[in-house]
């Protein structure tokens, strides 16, 4: 990093600066010689330093032009490294897929959007290993009827299985974020719910149910259900009381009726 670099809040730039935590995260990523690995937001290479040379192909995607220039100086001569200057949310993913692992210490302001983009491409990926804000991590694995349980919790099992590996305090970053962080791993298994063919409709159903999460399903889903009764599902409940399997039953009922 050159001397005139100032971390940009707008790009969620909190750089890892604790070698022990960095090694612990890389241990979870566990790069293999045969792997293609995509890193989102490599920054100045805290994780990248430990990935380069450890896998078949390493693809770096960074939005900050100044950091891209530094990455080019640092890794540009490695044959197995490709550096893309772009916004992960708007760029085409085709040029760097399929990949075995997608990893990164994510910019926290857009981590949920990045997770949805990963789900969108899940059939071309095997694992996602990300550092996210603790609240986002808790949402991925929340139990029904808790405050963390929501859209993200119900949509995640459609694409894979998420787990929280460990929590990380603000002290390991520069600048320090105001929130705690967690390392998460998602095993992407998009074919597991093949019976949910219309994923767009499943998303719509879950979003509509949670949009007015304090209302009963009978009210929040009025436009989708009308006056129908649905066996096995109590429409007097709120969305937060329904498990993924319940939403799946609701989906099939609405698709078939
Ligand atoms: N990996 C580095 C580390 O751990 O020290 C940096 C992590 S920092 C939390 C997030 C990184 O993502 C920054 O380098 C930032 O510039 C980059 N970034 C922010 N928004 C991005 C986007 N939309 N697409 C790609 N990279 C982005």
């Amino acid at each position: 990093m050159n001397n005139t670099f100032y971390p940009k809040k707008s790009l969620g730039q909190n750089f890892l600066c604790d070698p022990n935590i960095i090694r612990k995260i890389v241990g979870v990523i566990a790069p293999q010689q045969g792997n293609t690995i995509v890193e989102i937001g490599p920054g100045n290479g805290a994780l990248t330093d430990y990935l380069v040379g450890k896998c078949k192909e390493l693809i770096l995607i960074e939005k900050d032009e100044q950091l891209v220039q530094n990455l080019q100086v640092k890794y540009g001569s490695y044959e197995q490294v490709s550096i893309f200057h772009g916004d992960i949310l708007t760029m085409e993913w085709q040029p760097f897929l399929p990949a075995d692992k997608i990893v990164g210490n994510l910019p926290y302001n857009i981590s949920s959007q990045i997770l949805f983009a990963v789900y969108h491409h899940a059939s071309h990926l095997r694992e996602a290993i990300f550092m996210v804000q603790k609240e986002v991590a808790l949402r991925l694995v929340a139990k029904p009827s808790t405050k963390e349980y929501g859209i993200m919790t119900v949509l995640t099992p459609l694409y894979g299985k998420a787990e929280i590996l460990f929590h990380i305090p603000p002290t390991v970053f520069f600048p320090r974020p105001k929130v705690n962080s967690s390392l998460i791993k998602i095993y992407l298994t998009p074919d597991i719910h093949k019976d949910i063919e219309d994923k767009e409709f499943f998303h719509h159903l879950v979003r509509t149910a949670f949009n007015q999460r304090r209302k009963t399903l009978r009210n929040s889903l009025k436009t989708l259900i009308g006056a129908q009764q649905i066996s096995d599902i109590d429409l007097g409940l709120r969305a937060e009381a329904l498990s993924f399997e319940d939403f799946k039953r609701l989906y099939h009922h609405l698709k078939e009726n």
Side-chain angles (χ1 to χ4, degrees), residues 61-107:
I61 294 153
E62 176 55 63
K63 186 172 177 182
D64 186 313
E65 191 172 358
Q66 199 177 348
L67 292 178
V68 170
Q69 283 171 15
N70 296 346
L71 292 166
Q72 256 145 6
V73 171
K74 230 172 152 183
Y75 309 114
S77 62
Y78 289 87
E79 214 176 291
Q80 75 273 35
V81 178
S82 310
I83 303 166
F84 288 78
H85 177 209
D87 180 335
I88 192 66
L89 294 180
T90 53
M91 67 197 291
E92 283 293 322
W93 286 35
Q94 263 62 40
F96 53 82
L97 294 182
D100 298 288
K101 300 177 185 188
I102 185 158
V103 307
N105 169 18
L106 298 186

Side-chain angles (χ1 to χ4, degrees), residues 115-251:
L115 285 173
F116 280 115
V118 166
Y119 295 163
H120 183 72
H121 296 96
S123 51
H124 305 292
L125 294 161
R126 286 198 302 117
E127 282 175 16
I129 296 144
F130 291 138
M131 178 102 89
V132 295
Q133 188 175 333
K134 187 176 174 187
E135 281 73 18
V136 172
L138 293 177
R139 268 186 241 153
L140 294 180
V141 298
K143 298 270 177 283
S145 301
T146 61
K147 77 173 184 340
E148 291 82 15
Y149 193 78
I151 294 171
M152 189 62 113
T153 327
V154 180
L155 292 180
T156 293
L158 196 53
Y159 303 97
K161 181 159 174 25
E163 64 181 38
I164 298 179
L165 296 156
F166 48 86
H167 301 299
I168 300 151
T171 46
V172 303
F173 301 91
F174 178 79
R176 291 183 184 182
K178 290 200 175 66
V179 295
N180 285 304
S181 307
S182 307
L183 190 75
I184 57 162
K185 182 166 182 174
I186 306 173
Y187 302 89
L188 296 158
T189 51
D191 291 340
I192 216 167
H193 298 290
K194 271 208 176 95
D195 55 317
I196 304 183
E197 281 175 22
D198 188 351
K199 292 204 167 39
E200 212 173 299
F201 181 69
F202 192 84
H203 278 235
H204 178 60
L205 171 65
V206 173
R207 283 184 191 281
T208 310
F210 279 100
N211 266 346
Q212 296 168 298
R213 63 182 286 150
R214 302 197 58 77
K215 290 197 173 173
T216 63
L217 293 163
R218 169 68 71 207
N219 280 318
S220 60
L221 295 176
K222 204 181 289 169
T223 52
L224 294 171
I225 293 181
Q228 293 180 63
Q229 290 300 329
I230 298 175
S231 56
D232 293 347
I233 306 284
D234 177 357
L235 296 175
L237 295 173
R238 293 173 181 169
E240 63 188 24
L242 262 58
S243 66
F244 171 77
E245 293 302 326
D246 292 331
F247 271 105
K248 208 168 140 170
R249 270 204 294 281
L250 199 48
Y251 163 91

Side-chain angles (χ1 to χ4, degrees), residues 5-32:
F5 187 86
Y6 297 101
K8 299 176 187 69
K9 216 175 167 180
S10 62
L11 291 178
Q13 290 179 346
N14 299 99
F15 299 102
L16 278 167
C17 56
D18 178 325
N20 290 325
I21 284 288
I22 293 170
R23 276 195 287 271
K24 206 169 159 188
I25 296 169
V26 174
V28 172
I29 297 173
Q32 309 285 317

